[in-house]
Amino acid sequence: MALGVDGEETSNDPSGQFQKAQATDDMDARTDENEEEEEEDDEEDDEPRLKYASLTKSQGPVYRNGDATSAFLVAGDKMIIGTHNGNIHVLLLPSFQSLRSYRPHSASITGVSISPFPPPLPNVKTEVLSRASVEPRSLPARAPTSQDTASPSAKSPRQVLVPATPSNSIHIATSSIDGNVCISSLIDSKDVLLRNFGRPVQAVAISPEYKNDRSYISGGLAGNLILTTGGRPGTSSTSNTTGGAAATASGWLGTIGLGTNNGNDTVLHSGEGSISAIKWSLSGKYIVWVNEQGIKIMRSNLHLENSEIDFAWKRISHIDRPNLAGWEDMAGLWKARLDWVDEDGLEMDDEDIPAIDTPEVKNGLAASIASGDVQSIRQAAENKRIEKLIVGWGGTIWIINVKPGGTIVGKDGDERKAGLVEVVTILRTDCIISGVSLYTPKLLLVLAYLTTEEDRKNGSSNSQQGTPKRGVHRRQNALQPEMRIIDIATKEEVCVADTLKVSRFQSLSATDYHLGVLPLIKASTKVVTQRGALEVIGGIGGGLWDVTRDATMYPTRLFSSAASVRSNGSNSDLQSGKSTVGLTTDINVATLRGQGVHPDIMTRGMKIFIQSPYDCVLATKPTIADHLSWLEVHEKYEEAWILIDVRPEAANLLPEKMADSSPGTPTKAQASLVDFFADDNSQTASSQTRNSNSQAEKEKRRLGEKWLQQLVKNNDWTRAGQVAGQVLGTSSSWEHWVWVFAEANKFQEITPYIPTVQLQPPLPSLVYEFILGHYISHDRPRLNEVLERWSPELFDVHIIIARIEGKLKVGDVREDTVEDGVAGRDWQVLMKNLAKLYLADGRAKDALRCYIKLQDADAAMTLISDYRLVEAISDDLPGLILLRISKEQQKSAPLAELEEASIEPIRLLVDEAHHGTVRPEIVISQLENRSGMLPYLFFYLRALWNGDTYTAPTSPSPEHPSPKSVNLAAMEGKSLVNDHADLAVSLFAEYDRALFFTFLKSSQSYTLEKASTICDSRQYIPELVYLLAKEGRTKEALSIIIDKIADVSQAIAFAKEQDDPDLWGDLLDYSMNKPSFIRGLLEEVGTSINPIALVRRIPEGLEIEGLRQGLSRMIREYELQDSISEGVARVLRGEVVAGMKTLRTGQKRGVKFDIVHQARPASRHSNRNHIHPKERPKMIKPGHCAGCGDAFFEDGKVSILKIFPRTSSSTLRMLTAIVTATEKQTLVGYPCAHIFHLSCLLTYTTENNALPDEEGETPSTRDGSIGPKIRHASQLKGKIGGCPVNVHKEDKI
């Protein structure tokens, strides 16, 4: 990828990507033109792993007065740049506002280091930019130099005060070729030290705890690795390693406390050539430096336990330089690049990115936590103790693991180690390393410096020379630098190297380029919400300034003033409750955009800075929006559309969309990111959420249109139609593309995907009508499919009906036309769809006529049933009946097949006959005289006679009608058939003889003569015999039975049925000359005739076969009948005797009374004809009349009678009890215990209560004579019955 930075930023492509640089003239020497073109084509096909943006404009003050950068460092929210003029610029990220600029050196700065490293991250609640932006700027101040020390009266310009926040509380160490090392505090301009080492210093590394130990390490061309400790702020001093007497004395006096406390220098290592790089590890435990002999690693004095005091400043490893050609001469010239890697801040490898929202991942995490994987926890803790170092030197890269030391078992016994160093991988490249770092755990970032083939062959060291000064002319032979991504495992590049087109690259050397990385800072697990859970970026390098909130590859991150991501603050900070959180200082994001801050620096993820003397380039991992833009630029519209469909948020992250959706004027002052996200009008999070769907849909439609254009351009119309169904969403776009397909005559490709539901606004009906018209004229088989999918609401039904009717009337589509070998195919299609359209238009009758012409019985019958349309087609009943019957079937099919095919319309006509809609007369008139329709007329009359009506398919139980409804239908049907009895006789006789005979027996409406004629002509003898008998012509009927049937049994049965003595005589007369008949009469006549008369009629001398057996059978039959009669008589007599005995026994049995004597009441019945009270007793008491309620008396006392009825008798009988004491009336008692005065009982049973007289009944004879009692009882028998009380009505005797 190429970036032009010739003082102006080159125009970017729509995706914000940098185009690959064109090969320069020097590249032509390396490859021929054809290979180069192929290479470029391949490059264009590969999506870049990184995207680049120029930040040169943001560093405008750095290049003032023609200055150029020589040293570079980026950490936390600070960028520190050293220049060839000896200036230091401290810039605040991401706004690139200058916090401080000063000039500590008089020559090129070779190295920059800060303490602590990495610095504390800014707090959301601080107010950094608010004060810095309003206070006036002063001229840059410079640190004291040797000249300043000589003239202390010199006044420095007033510096801008830097807020004393934890993130600003850092010390900056710089080295220069002027031999000086300067240590300066960012917030306190007086806290500055300047120390001269006599020779150019190439590297400096300040202690991570400089605030406490005031120490740093430096080295340069002298080859000494010097540890400097102490020093008085605001002074300039000379190192005691320079060899001068004053310096030596000062160092010696300082050690004994008599000096001026200008610091003490200790040489930790020397004698192996110049030192090009020094760097402290992230933990502060180790120091790495590189000299001409190789790579050295030392244990520092920080974080030592008591047992490890001896390890302080002890070297633990040496890695020799490569023993390759050129290294002997170039080792001292090549500047080594060192990077202690924060593995937590790396990007994730693509294959390691989990889909965190999937249930599998969530369940796996939960299971891991629940199971407490101790081994995994221990392994993670062990990995934390290992520090990874990347060294790039010359063309070689080392990946080194540094582990804590311990006791090692060796040949000479146990040995304690200060640390262990393991070289994991060594990679050799074809370039000079100008910067190196890890991008992911598996991928390596390399800033490659390239030379021409000529330089490589000549071994020129021109590439190692410094940046040319003004007025010095050098040969322009350097190539553009490249950013490479190398797979550590395969040691191969994973993508095409990105060529960086920077200003004046031809004159630059490998040492002029610098690579700085802001690692990804992951969110803390501690979350405190403020105004809800605001989703933001998790820290510097990991999305510290990411307002796009691209949550495509990382977990959700929350921020608040109390959520600390990384803090290296002091204990006092912790104790005072100060929180250092992983967020930028309070910067108004909208303001940053307005000030021209590049949006790429505000995205999430690792940020890679490439610094050249005249340019600064930012490289970041492409976001999902970048991926979308790249797909669009490379015309991969399908993938782009799918991406937005799956990830709608990608549409909102496009640069042009971000610009369109940038917030307006806030409603209140926004002092921080929290306020920015909380403000209603400028709350991009909520606004983007609200607009995401609409914006995504717009992008999908836009890309879909491009996708369609691409497919149409490639003549892939089939795929284009499918895509149209996916991507088109508006009526205007659909209308446009339908006409495009129509103009290309690609109807079939687009029709299946045209919307089948109405859009808003609706798609013009003309679109649908045009396509339907095409199919009506050119592709009729497809018409059926289209109308099946399209609702009639989408188009004007009348227009389509008129088109089809016109097509049918023209005559080019007929029932007999042949298409593709099928007769009438197109005609059937048009008729079928015409019927559907008629229905949609509410013209059910016209639709029914279409179905009848089509012989579509199912559709026609359903239509008739739903709309009751039989009457509408009553003028064409044969067509209705023949719906399921073809012409071939009419000619040759058996009757059963015809019946099965016509049963449904026949039953429907029967049903209509019952309803009176289509009378039988209409059916008969249309079928009787039409050729070939008599069988169907027979089916109709038979169904009418049997009550076989039509049941609609929607009926809940069509196969099981109720018996009552069947009987009613049959009765009504018989009545209707009787109106046409003579026609029924002829049809039944023709097609169903059994039904014919049944009809003859059941009906009285047919003409006997006509029926007899039919039977005679068809030789239906039983039916004719029945008709003759019905006419009274029994003798003729008997004669036919004897002569034509010759069945004596039938003749005898006929005679028995008629029960006519004369007929028996005729039968005997007809049989006398027929021996077989005589024998049959003897065997079967039984007792119907006198056997003597039969025997006497037999002519003498007539030989009858089986006569003896016949007579014997007749005699046995009579004997059997006599025996049966005698047995029946005996049984009858026995039953009568038993019944009489039961009767007598019952009559003899009386009623038992228990008598209780009580005092006589005042009133008594005075006579036997006593009239009882009008009111009957409510409760009947024992010994009291059930009619009047009075008690019964005996001998002047009240007699309480208790009746014990017979429980063994099955029949209640009337019992009469006569009390002969003073009771004057007859008492009648029932087994149910109810007793009545006779007069009271008569009141219950009859209006006439006159008492029968008991003749001869006197007191003297009352107890002894039975005769009067019997006569009296017989008289009462006819007047009284069972007990008349209501509860016994059912038990009356």
Side-chain angles (χ1 to χ4, degrees), residues 215 454 938 1023 1184 1211 1256:
S215 61
E454 181 182 354
F938 158 69
E1023 291 83 355
H1184 293 70
T1211 305

Side-chain angles (χ1 to χ4, degrees), residues 1269-1278:
K1269 295 182 181 294
I1270 293 176
R1271 287 194 297 274
H1272 187 238
S1274 63
Q1275 292 174 356
L1276 293 176
K1277 184 176 181 181

